[in-house]
Amino acid sequence: MKRPLLLRGIRPYGAGEAVDLLIRDGVIAELGPSLDGTGAEMLDGGGLVALPGLVDLHAHLREPGREDVETIATGSAAAALGGYTAVFAMANTDPVADTAVVVEHVYRRGREVGLVDVHPVGAVTAGLRGERLAELGAMASSAAAVRIFSDDGMCVHDSLLMRRALEYTRGLGGVIAQHAEDPRLTAGAQAHEGEIAARLGLAGWPAAAEESIVARDCLLARDAAATLHICHASTAGTVEVLRWAKERGIRVSAEVTPHHLLLTDERLAGYDPVNKVNPPLRTAADTQALRAALAEGIVDCVATDHAPHAAQDKDCEWSAARPGMLGLQTALSVVIAAMVCPGLLDWRGVARVMSERPARIGGATDHGRPIAVGQPATLVLVDPDATWTVRGDGLASLADNTPYEGMELPGRVVATLLRGEITAEGGKVQR
Ligand code: DOR
């Protein structure tokens, strides 16, 4: 029998008096002031904020196929260190996660590593080619129980195929997560279309390439009575389309990345490809609109779009570089900087956008639960007053393409617990 664990003096949701939390058999057994910890292992939580474990709907773990840049083990470690307890692994692997065999492999490997619950995302179309639907039913009924389907990295551009995908997933109780980008409008594009791209001589990536697909897909979801999720919403116009759709009862949810909340296309001035990402960094006005939408709930949640890349794919000229940036280990601190410090979200709000809503959207029923007796002890403890300086080579990922290199960020994950097991503590994963 494992010994009970007592968290001494934590503040659930950062509110009210500090309390003790006793964990027995992976479940919150008691919660209250000055609990008797006789016989229990002790973790001093003096002043730490306790939140439900974070849930990431969008991470590229690169296994199978690119184990040189990330594996399920290293990605899970980065996630646990970042406060995550569940991660949805995107399907653009090699081979693509478009069959039951591949998603089951990812799922099993995640279980073996055991640091976070890895939920494979299934591809919408075979090979991400956008020509015919993948084996959605087989993936949904596999051991991996796939619920989210996405061709992320590629847009499901064919309207009829998107309509069929929505209709089909409705029957499966699933969600289509769309990478909204009209590829005709972004052919050759290198940066957000606007003043900065013009000044730098980079081909522009119009906001309408995203917004037009979001609008189209909301209408298709309405007609199919299906559930749609928008990956990495990045423009003020997308927020307005989402508002329009939600006001009409269309079942659409959306995520925003930490980098689209904090960084703008001003960063492109030095042509450093670490800032190249898809969708591109937008304007300060877009960032403000996304922050307001996240606070209001028009954008439902934060998802990292953690995208590790090999050095040779980033340390090259801008146009040849691959898009994407690391996110799992910095997300919470970036959200604190962009949302909590300016007073747009309190800790309850952080729990909502980084745990409760994404868990609900992804059907990760064991996650995003209230911090209450009888609930799974799946938690993150955060020191709200600590700061830390990001060093890419100190992150758990195999890649080091972080745009926050050298930045001092607020808030530090002190410990992460998955069903009562400590998965990360004091900046180290626990195996
Ligand atoms: O920047 C990105 N990188 N955006 C995507 O949609 C895909 C991702 C990747 O796989 O590298």
Side-chain angles (χ1 to χ4, degrees):
M1 263 284 279
K2 208 177 166 299
R3 273 168 73 194
L5 174 64
L6 184 73
L7 311 183
R8 189 68 95 194
I10 56 159
R11 287 164 56 230
Y13 307 100
E17 295 295 308
V19 290
D20 296 348
L21 186 153
L22 184 71
I23 300 166
R24 212 177 278 128
D25 300 326
V27 172
I28 302 175
E30 289 178 53
L31 190 61
S34 312
L35 295 182
D36 176 11
T38 314
E41 209 181 308
M42 206 83 77
L43 199 155
D44 181 14
L48 301 181
V49 173
L51 302 177
L54 309 183
V55 176
D56 188 9
L57 287 179
H58 189 148
H60 298 274
L61 300 186
R62 303 293 191 221
E63 185 178 344
R66 285 305 304 267
E67 291 84 351
D68 57 320
V69 291
E70 198 74 291
T71 65
I72 291 168
T74 59
S76 294
L81 291 165
Y84 285 92
T85 51
V87 166
F88 286 72
M90 271 299 167
N92 63 341
T93 49
D94 183 11
V96 171
D98 58 359
T99 61
V101 173
V102 181
V103 293
E104 283 187 354
H105 167 77
V106 172
Y107 175 73
R108 293 223 167 86
R109 188 67 199 119
R111 292 290 287 250
E112 272 165 30
V113 173
L115 291 171
V116 292
D117 288 346
V118 175
H119 295 278
V121 173
V124 178
T125 71
L128 308 178
R129 282 188 296 275
E131 291 164 2
R132 62 177 173 85
L133 292 183
E135 297 173 10
L136 308 185
M139 290 190 276
S141 58
S142 74
V146 173
R147 178 183 157 92
I148 298 188
F149 297 93
S150 182
D151 274 7
D152 180 69
M154 309 286 284
C155 181
V156 181
H157 184 222
D158 183 305
S159 312
L160 183 60
L161 202 58
M162 185 61 180
R163 180 178 186 182
R164 294 284 176 258
L166 286 162
E167 287 167 351
Y168 201 59
T169 44
R170 190 184 77 139
L172 299 172
V175 181
I176 299 284
Q178 175 70 294
H179 173 117
E181 174 189 352
D182 184 328
R184 296 278 292 148
L185 289 174
T186 60
Q190 293 291 333
H192 170 69
E193 185 177 87
E195 214 178 300
I196 302 232
R199 187 155 17 101
L200 297 176
L202 295 171
W205 187 296
E210 175 172 308
E211 295 153 6
S212 57
I213 296 290
V214 176
R216 180 200 75 174
D217 289 354
C218 285
L219 297 175
L220 294 177
R222 177 195 65 188
D223 290 356
T227 309
L228 169 70
H229 178 73
I230 300 299
C231 294
H232 39 55
S234 72
T235 77
T238 290
V239 170
E240 288 318 302
V241 176
L242 290 168
R243 183 188 305 283
W244 180 91
K246 287 188 171 199
E247 279 169 4
R248 281 155 186 79
I250 295 171
R251 277 186 264 166
V252 60
S253 57
E255 66 189 36
V256 60
T257 69
H259 47 273
H260 287 107
L261 290 172
L262 193 69
L263 309 177
T264 69
D265 61 353
E266 301 271 355
R267 297 264 308 207
L268 272 50
Y271 295 96
D272 183 346
V274 80
N275 297 307
K276 185 170 174 177
V277 66
N278 176 357
L281 298 180
R282 306 282 189 183
T283 66
D286 292 306
T287 301
Q288 293 308 323
L290 291 164
R291 289 183 183 191
L294 184 65
E296 192 190 343
I298 295 292
V299 168
D300 299 76
C301 63
V302 172
T304 66
D305 199 3
H306 177 82
H309 283 298
Q312 68 267 23
D313 292 322
K314 278 299 199 182
D315 297 342
C316 55
E317 73 269 23
W318 182 275
S319 61
R322 297 241 175 114
M325 35 183 73
L326 300 184
L328 282 167
Q329 247 176 287
T330 46
L332 179 61
S333 288
V334 173
V335 170
I336 294 171
M339 301 296 296
V340 179
C341 295
L344 291 166
L345 277 186
D346 58 12
W347 292 104
R348 244 180 215 285
V350 175
R352 171 169 58 84
V353 303
M354 295 191 81
S355 179
E356 294 158 8
R357 285 295 295 147
R360 175 68 68 87
I361 292 164
T365 49
D366 232 16
H367 295 263
R369 311 282 302 191
I371 302 176
V373 171
Q375 296 290 346
T378 296
L379 304 165
V380 56
L381 303 182
V382 185
D383 182 345
D385 302 318
T387 59
W388 62 294
T389 302
V390 182
R391 299 281 173 222
D393 59 8
L395 300 175
S397 284
L398 292 179
D400 62 3
N401 53 303
T402 174
Y404 311 109
E405 182 70 37
M407 266 172 84
E408 190 177 86
L409 292 178
R412 184 91 188 152
V413 171
V414 173
T416 311
L417 289 92
L418 176 61
R419 291 180 283 275
E421 298 288 337
I422 297 174
T423 53
E425 188 184 354
K428 292 197 172 58
V429 284
Q430 310 288 310
R431 283 173 204 274

